[in-house]
Amino acid sequence: MTYQITTEPLPGVLARPGTGCYGVFDHGAHVWAWQPDGARPVLWLSEHSRFAEGQAVRGGVPLIFPWFGPGPQGGLKPAHGFARTSVWSREAIAELNGDLTVRYRLDDSMVGEQPNFPHPFSATLTVGFSAAAVDVAFGVTNTGTVPFTYEDALHTYLAVGDILGVSVEGLDAMTYYDKTAADPAAPCLQDGPVTFARETDRIYVDDSGGLLVVDPSWSRQIRVEKSGSANTVVWNPWTVKAAAMADFGDEEWPTMLCVEAANIGANAVTLAPGETHVTTQRVSLG
Ligand code: TA6
């Protein structure tokens, strides 16, 4: 299998193993495609996604750093931080026996003035594509002289046949916070598999190794494993929120589910000078 350097719709690396597709953009070090040969796409990408400077790609694996949403105390812009709209430095590509690895770097000198995060840092994103899985590893190093704290998430969009029939196994009995609730700070307890009948936007306190997305409509299961992550976010915007997003088709919400390895709020990561933290997520079929 050979890979190519692409410029459409954004500069990046693309490989097509048989009928499959592996893709990552330099913009945001954004993994946008993992489709094994002979399978349906596993990562979801909106047909309305923007591919432009300063805009987040809607789908794939947006890199959320150094804050989640509006940040722990709210009010921070851009939402979900600046990593996903920054152009990362593509440092290395390696192809071996059909597997493709791409490594990116971003540091404070590349992101301009960031008054909400005035810290020296170096970040790496390494993505490994194979027929068996897509592995994403997001590392952050404190290159300064004082500690700093950050939030992160691998905001992974999974493709499903019909969200109404999907269930998520592996979060049973875990505490979660429901961002759609009247009191989003009230702890809830997961009872059995997660199923979907309305807008779902939950932050689970979950440092387990992973979960299983069961998709009867497409007769497949997607396994999501993780490390270095104390939270799992589960999100489907449903009808109203989907219609409110210009880069998300009104009828696309039944075809996707976000499952995100994250470190948010009380579980944000604090790095001492010279310390590194790595958040990883592995997506595979079955
Ligand atoms: O991870 C779920 C979430 O925080 C939702 O609340 C929603 O805002 C989603 O992220 C998408 O955010 P974005 O900034 O990409 O539109």
Side-chain angles (χ1 to χ4, degrees), residues 58 68-69 79-80 84 155 157 179 201 233 235 245 260:
R58 179 67 67 186
F68 186 87
H80 284 330
R84 65 177 178 170
H155 196 296
Y157 287 76
K179 289 171 60 178
D201 194 349
V233 178
W235 179 58
M245 293 182 279
E260 308 164 32

Side-chain angles (χ1 to χ4, degrees), residues 205-230:
V205 181
D206 163 30
D207 59 1
S208 72
L211 52 78
L212 194 66
V213 175
V214 180
D215 179 6
S217 170
W218 279 359
S219 303
R220 78 176 184 183
Q221 299 181 346
I222 302 175
R223 185 168 302 281
V224 183
E225 299 162 274
K226 67 173 192 173
S227 67
S229 158

Side-chain angles (χ1 to χ4, degrees), residues 56-58 62 64 68-70 78-80 84 153 155 157 179 199-203 233-237 241 245 247-248 258 260 264:
V57 172
R58 179 67 67 186
I64 311 304
F68 186 87
H80 284 330
R84 65 177 178 170
H155 196 296
Y157 287 76
K179 289 171 60 178
E199 178 190 355
T200 304
D201 194 349
R202 300 178 178 182
I203 300 176
V233 178
V234 176
W235 179 58
N236 183 288
K241 288 286 175 63
M245 293 182 279
D247 61 345
F248 198 120
C258 278
E260 308 164 32
I264 299 170

Side-chain angles (χ1 to χ4, degrees), residues 76-163:
L76 297 188
K77 297 273 187 197
H80 284 330
F82 50 74
R84 65 177 178 170
T85 53
S86 299
V87 179
W88 289 53
S89 169
R90 184 175 353 114
E91 304 274 301
I93 303 177
E95 193 273 320
L96 182 64
N97 302 331
D99 295 355
L100 177 66
T101 301
V102 189
R103 181 165 50 81
Y104 287 90
R105 182 181 57 80
L106 183 76
D107 68 35
D108 52 285
S109 70
M110 300 160 65
V111 298
E113 286 299 309
Q114 293 294 344
N116 293 317
F117 193 77
H119 306 294
F121 73 90
S122 177
T124 60
L125 186 283
T126 304
V127 53
F129 296 101
S130 70
V134 57
D135 290 283
V136 179
F138 174 49
V140 178
T141 300
N142 180 346
T143 55
T145 57
V146 297
F148 65 63
T149 299
Y150 69 93
E151 296 175 309
D152 72 349
L154 301 177
H155 196 296
T156 304
Y157 287 76
L158 301 175
V160 297
D162 181 357
I163 191 66

Side-chain angles (χ1 to χ4, degrees), residues 9-30:
L10 289 167
V13 182
L14 178 66
R16 293 195 179 281
T19 62
C21 182
Y22 303 160
V24 56
F25 295 132
D26 301 347
H27 174 88
H30 195 120

